[in-house]
Amino acid sequence: MAIKEILKTSNLQKSFSGIIAAEDINISVKEGEIIGIIGANGAGKTVFVNMITGYLKPTSGTIEFNGSDITGIKPREATHIGVCRSFQVSQVFMSMTVKQNLMIAMSLAKKSGSQLLNPIDDENLSKECDKILKQYNIITQKDLIVSTLSQGMRKLLDIAMAVVGEPKILLLDEPTSGVSVEEKFGIMDIVISALKKSGTTVLFVEHDMEIVERYVDRVMAFYQGQIICDAPPKQALKDKKVIQYVLG
Amino acid sequence: MFKGILKEQTIQVGIGFVFIVVLLGTFILPEWMSNNFMYGLSRGLAVLGLMILWRTNLVSFGHALYYGFGAYAVAMAQKYLGVTDVFLRIIIAIAAAGLLGFVLGFILRRYREIFFAMLSLAFSMVLYGLLAKAEFLGSTDGMSISPSTMFGFELGRFGLFYFIGFVVILSLIFAHAYLRSSLGHLTTAIMDNEIRVEYLGYSVEKAIHIKYVISACLAGGAGGLMAAALGQVDPDSMVLWSVSGELVFVTIMAGLGNILAPFVGAIFFEFIRTYAYEFAPQAWQMIIGGTLLAIIFFLPGGLWSLFQKINPFKKEKK
Ligand SMILES: Nc1ncnc2c1ncn2[C@@H]1O[C@H](COP(=O)(O)OP(=O)(O)OP(=O)(O)O)[C@@H](O)[C@H]1O
Ligand SMILES: [Mg+2]
């Protein structure tokens, strides 16, 4: 059986009052693929993630998810169909504790309608929440207010909050930025192995090429809003253009 | 939704508080003091409504819209349907205000901050204008409200006081159940980060709309109870912008710390107003303003933070 195509874009373009931030983006992603998105600062990586997840509306072009057109959907609609994300600058609830953050994410993912009127601190959910916090190695911080946490921990929480929504495809914008070098691999091991197990398709933006080499099946290199290379990591990291415009 | 709620400390303390207030008001205190307790309890409902909105950083400068609408709904039900039953009165007041909140909510849920605050004010001024012109509702003189009945019997002042206590307890239970729920927790979440809430798959506007209707219902209930307690409705004391201002004032004074705070604050406010008016009829507004300044400077968490400082567990006393 041929592996299903889960995400496809055609001639995706985005401009901000004349400045082109994305142009001619044509990609095809298969179910279960792990893809690394690389590119220098301002190359258009975040704009790309924002378009797929409904934060920005493309100026032109289309996005297809599982065969249906999702161009210009709203963020929460993206979440509902299984397109989830984390953020370059963590978007968490700063005045709440780590656990409250994750509990909110979990209850919104698992409950609906009048179930949302039940107390948030339901025992099963709470246990499951602790398990995930343990898995992400932030269990000892669970009662701390998020604004007191380090960047790296917020990042982990941000990712965990996206993952509990059981996405079909997950876009992570620089999951390891702000995380110490020693912690980086640990985090990615946790995240990627969990997502592989569930068969989730992952696209993540990354500046660290060691991480890219180690975890991805395929690399997409961005330069000035365009994809200049789309190939397996070994090949991509040797590509002349990539060396010149991304790594150089 | 209400599972185990009577075991929660907030509710137990709340019920105890209402019992004490009602007993003091009906058996011990002189009438003027007792009135302050009764009005404070009633208006505390509207303050509770404001507090629930406030926890999402939404301040309504026009909540007298719902307060007055609830009160006038009681007046109209009396005039046209002959309704004097106290249960029907409160239900009508809450339903009318809730319905209005539901309709206007479609507009308000799109606004934040000062726009939200001022838009509510604008709507309340429209209602004031309409009521002041409406001859069939007594225009600026308003209408008198006949004594409330229950199952056909006249309720009397004490009876009404008990009923108000009963409504307040129900509201505390409801508000607490809401705030401890997943939906209620979105309150703070939305204040912290709307984008994240959307990406968790919930509509921020919808969450705000629900909250707004709850808040309108509470304010409408307060108006309905006050109409019954005062035996009178009129635009100046029910819908004027200064009434909205007072509600905001009490919310700040009370603090957002606990659902009981609005009632403590509202009763406290009735007393300051009475005393200020008695001792300085020319300058009572100044005294009230001074109180607010003192609270903002010295007790930014409101009166409630005082109880927490003194004793975190025993919160019954006023
Ligand atoms: N909302 C916006 N309005 C105007 N220009 C924007 C906006 N968002 C992004 N841009 C521009 O689009 C280009 C691509 O930005 P983008 O944030 O996608 O870069 P990036 O590849 O994610 O870079 P970094 O590695 O620094 O995160 C930049 O030139 C940026 O200034
Ligand atoms: Mg970026």
Side-chain angles (χ1 to χ4, degrees):
Chain A
M1 203 177 78
I3 298 174
K4 211 170 77 184
E5 178 181 62
I6 189 165
L7 182 72
K8 184 181 164 188
T9 68
S10 318
N11 301 319
L12 210 54
Q13 196 210 325
K14 178 76 197 175
S15 52
F16 296 102
S17 47
I19 301 161
I20 292 171
E23 199 180 7
D24 287 335
I25 309 270
N26 293 293
I27 61 155
S28 165
V29 178
K30 291 192 190 70
E31 204 163 27
E33 265 191 307
I34 311 274
I35 292 178
I37 297 175
I38 61 173
N41 289 72
K45 307 180 294 292
T46 298
V47 167
F48 171 74
V49 170
N50 284 347
M51 284 193 292
I52 305 288
T53 55
Y55 188 71
L56 285 176
K57 212 176 160 147
T59 313
S60 65
T62 56
I63 304 165
E64 271 172 54
F65 173 72
N66 271 338
S68 49
D69 190 344
I70 60 159
T71 320
I73 55 168
K74 295 203 181 79
R76 66 166 181 280
E77 293 164 346
T79 304
H80 288 157
I81 58 173
V83 179
C84 296
R85 70 174 298 181
S86 75
F87 298 82
Q88 184 163 357
V89 178
S90 334
Q91 302 290 327
V92 286
F93 305 125
M94 287 290 194
S95 68
M96 300 187 178
T97 67
V98 171
K99 184 158 179 183
Q100 282 171 339
N101 266 267
L102 196 59
M103 286 292 277
I104 286 189
M106 290 174 75
S107 55
L108 288 185
K110 294 184 170 53
K111 298 178 185 173
S112 62
S114 62
Q115 285 172 311
L116 286 171
L117 287 172
N118 292 333
I120 194 166
D121 45 0
D122 134 336
E123 212 174 308
N124 294 330
L125 206 63
S126 170
K127 264 190 208 138
E128 207 181 321
C129 181
D130 284 346
K131 220 159 76 189
I132 294 169
L133 290 172
K134 208 174 278 167
Q135 190 185 7
Y136 280 80
N137 221 350
I138 41 179
I139 185 83
T140 43
Q141 287 83 11
K142 73 174 180 178
D143 292 322
L144 295 181
I145 300 289
V146 171
S147 59
T148 65
L149 295 186
S150 70
Q151 269 298 338
M153 283 180 192
R154 282 186 213 165
K155 213 101 216 200
L156 271 175
L157 178 61
D158 189 319
I159 296 171
M161 284 167 78
V163 173
V164 293
E166 293 173 3
K168 297 198 176 75
I169 183 165
L170 182 62
L171 294 97
L172 304 171
D173 198 351
E174 308 204 8
T176 67
S177 71
V179 178
S180 69
V181 185
E182 310 89 68
E183 282 178 320
K184 272 189 181 181
F185 286 98
I187 291 179
M188 289 310 279
D189 277 343
I190 294 166
V191 175
I192 298 292
S193 70
L195 292 168
K196 267 197 171 146
K197 218 179 282 167
S198 58
T200 311
T201 311
V202 186
L203 280 79
F204 69 96
V205 177
E206 185 55 66
H207 283 290
D208 186 330
M209 292 309 141
E210 266 185 80
I211 301 241
V212 171
E213 267 192 291
R214 177 132 145 209
Y215 297 100
V216 311
D217 304 323
R218 182 146 65 104
V219 170
M220 293 176 184
F222 279 69
Y223 176 67
Q224 293 191 344
Q226 298 190 341
I227 295 183
I228 52 169
C229 178
D230 182 348
K234 285 225 170 64
Q235 200 180 325
L237 298 182
K238 285 200 200 101
D239 187 278
K240 267 198 202 120
K241 277 202 252 169
V242 172
I243 291 172
Q244 184 178 354
Y245 295 124
V246 179
L247 308 174
Chain B
M1 177 179 186
F2 298 105
K3 206 173 139 223
I5 197 145
L6 293 176
K7 291 201 194 92
E8 301 239 357
Q9 196 196 359
T10 314
I11 293 301
Q12 289 176 350
V13 174
I15 293 175
F17 169 79
V18 173
F19 263 98
I20 290 172
V21 168
V22 171
L23 289 180
L24 281 176
T26 47
F27 287 120
I28 296 169
L29 298 173
E31 187 164 329
W32 70 271
M33 270 198 174
S34 151
N35 275 342
N36 281 347
F37 276 107
M38 183 153 80
Y39 301 156
L41 272 192
S42 309
R43 283 155 56 99
L45 281 183
V47 179
L48 178 61
L50 268 188
M51 180 189 104
I52 287 177
L53 273 180
W54 208 306
R55 287 210 181 160
T56 312
N57 254 359
L58 294 170
V59 181
S60 164
F61 283 152
H63 243 46
L65 172 65
Y66 300 106
Y67 179 72
F69 203 71
Y72 267 87
V74 167
M76 284 176 67
Q78 175 187 316
K79 181 165 181 190
Y80 294 108
L81 305 170
V83 172
T84 54
D85 186 87
V86 74
F87 283 108
L88 284 177
R89 278 184 163 168
I90 187 79
I91 290 170
I92 288 169
I94 290 173
L99 195 65
L100 183 64
F102 177 70
V103 174
L104 296 182
F106 283 103
I107 303 170
L108 276 145
R109 69 192 217 169
R110 309 205 322 252
Y111 295 87
R112 302 288 183 275
E113 297 166 8
I114 193 70
F115 304 103
F116 181 91
M118 292 324 247
L119 201 56
S120 339
L121 178 61
F123 282 124
S124 78
M125 288 166 85
V126 171
L127 181 68
Y128 178 83
L130 290 175
L131 290 173
K133 288 252 153 29
E135 304 251 340
F136 67 102
L137 292 173
S139 47
T140 47
D141 292 336
M143 275 175 65
S144 64
I145 303 292
S146 55
S148 299
T149 57
M150 191 184 276
F151 312 122
F153 299 101
E154 196 167 305
L155 204 52
R157 217 182 76 87
F158 285 3
L160 183 63
F161 208 147
Y162 293 132
F163 181 75
I164 290 173
F166 169 72
V167 173
V168 168
I169 288 174
L170 286 189
S171 310
L172 285 173
I173 291 175
F174 183 83
H176 188 66
Y178 168 70
L179 288 172
R180 73 173 184 169
S181 72
S182 305
L183 199 57
H185 273 79
L186 281 181
T187 299
T188 332
I190 290 172
M191 180 165 89
D192 271 5
N193 196 329
E194 289 196 15
I195 292 174
R196 178 48 119 178
V197 173
E198 285 280 331
Y199 271 110
L200 291 177
Y202 203 82
S203 161
V204 169
E205 287 192 0
K206 186 170 155 192
I208 288 178
H209 200 162
I210 292 172
K211 184 186 296 288
Y212 192 72
V213 172
I214 291 174
S215 175
C217 287
L218 287 166
L225 292 179
M226 276 306 269
L230 293 169
Q232 157 83 18
V233 297
D234 63 86
D236 277 352
S237 64
M238 295 289 184
V239 202
L240 192 61
W241 57 270
S242 61
V243 179
S244 299
E246 272 172 22
L247 294 176
V248 172
F249 177 107
V250 179
T251 314
I252 297 176
M253 193 174 75
L256 306 178
N258 187 292
I259 51 171
L260 258 187
F263 299 95
V264 176
I267 292 171
F268 188 71
F269 180 77
E270 295 294 332
F271 275 95
I272 322 179
R273 189 162 52 181
T274 318
Y275 276 115
Y277 201 70
E278 199 157 305
F279 293 121
Q282 315 302 331
W284 66 279
Q285 281 121 329
M286 222 169 82
I287 295 178
I288 289 183
T291 315
L292 184 59
L293 283 181
I295 298 237
I296 290 174
F297 285 136
F298 302 114
L299 273 181
L303 285 178
W304 193 257
S305 60
L306 201 61
F307 298 121
Q308 282 169 323
K309 267 181 216 156
I310 298 168
N311 186 340
F313 291 108
K314 209 155 182 223
K315 301 167 185 166
E316 270 117 328
K317 287 227 197 93
K318 194 185 71 68

